Amino acid sequence: VGNAGILGPLSPLGHVEPKAWDDVIAVNVTANWHLIRSMDPLLRLSDAGRVVFLTSGVGSNPRAYWGPYAISKAGTIGMVRSLNMAKGRKDIKINVICPNAMTRLGAAPGRAVRIKRKGDTESARSRRGGWGGSRGLHKHRGLHRCTA
């Protein structure tokens, strides 16, 4: 499990000091890269290797002034995507979990949230019986598997 992470400075990117930038990238990206490099021989020997990285919803839904953190978390998501494309074995699983990635939808934990689909109209919702359906109504659990 790769769970490295520091927040770093919350300021416009142009005001971030190089040392602060380097610290965030070193912990949030480079440490995860070192982890996967060190695990590679073990994964290749395994019958069913598993690696999970915890990152952040900010990696896929950035916030203002969270530049170094958002960029580093997006970097981890990209790293996992790249690893999955290159691994060559289906029995090795590499995943990313983004805690709180769905909180931008405004639901409290444990409450249902409405997911509006592209092109969704009031008449389309009424034909489906409202917002319901397995694709329209989801429970918010504070965890989301990033698209990696």
Side-chain angles (χ1 to χ4, degrees):
V1 175
N3 191 24
I6 60 171
L7 181 58
L10 296 176
S11 60
L13 274 175
H15 297 126
V16 175
E17 294 295 323
K19 169 84 169 96
W21 171 270
D22 291 343
D23 290 346
V24 172
I25 298 300
V27 172
N28 297 3
V29 180
T30 308
N32 286 324
W33 174 73
H34 282 294
L35 175 67
I36 201 70
R37 269 188 53 123
S38 66
M39 295 298 299
D40 189 58
L42 298 172
L43 289 171
R44 293 188 186 283
L45 292 173
S46 172
D47 291 332
R50 303 290 185 265
V51 180
V52 176
F53 289 96
L54 286 121
T55 182
S56 171
V58 176
S60 53
N61 297 303
R63 296 179 182 163
Y65 306 116
W66 287 51
Y69 183 79
I71 291 165
S72 69
K73 294 304 182 173
T76 298
I77 294 167
M79 179 183 70
V80 170
R81 286 180 179 162
S82 179
L83 288 166
N84 278 321
M85 287 184 230
K87 69 184 178 200
R89 287 180 48 191
K90 293 183 181 190
D91 55 341
I92 296 175
K93 306 289 186 206
I94 306 170
N95 293 305
V96 171
I97 297 174
C98 301
N100 298 316
M102 292 179 63
T103 58
R104 67 184 175 84
L105 298 172
R111 295 197 52 208
V113 295
R114 293 178 178 171
I115 307 295
K116 184 175 180 184
R117 290 179 258 184
K118 187 175 182 178
D120 208 359
T121 64
E122 192 65 41
S123 61
R125 282 192 300 277
S126 60
R127 282 195 307 272
R128 285 195 320 267
W131 287 99
S134 62
R135 290 182 292 171
L137 196 60
H138 301 276
K139 288 294 251 179
H140 169 72
R141 292 184 178 87
L143 291 177
H144 175 67
R145 185 180 180 277
C146 295
T147 55

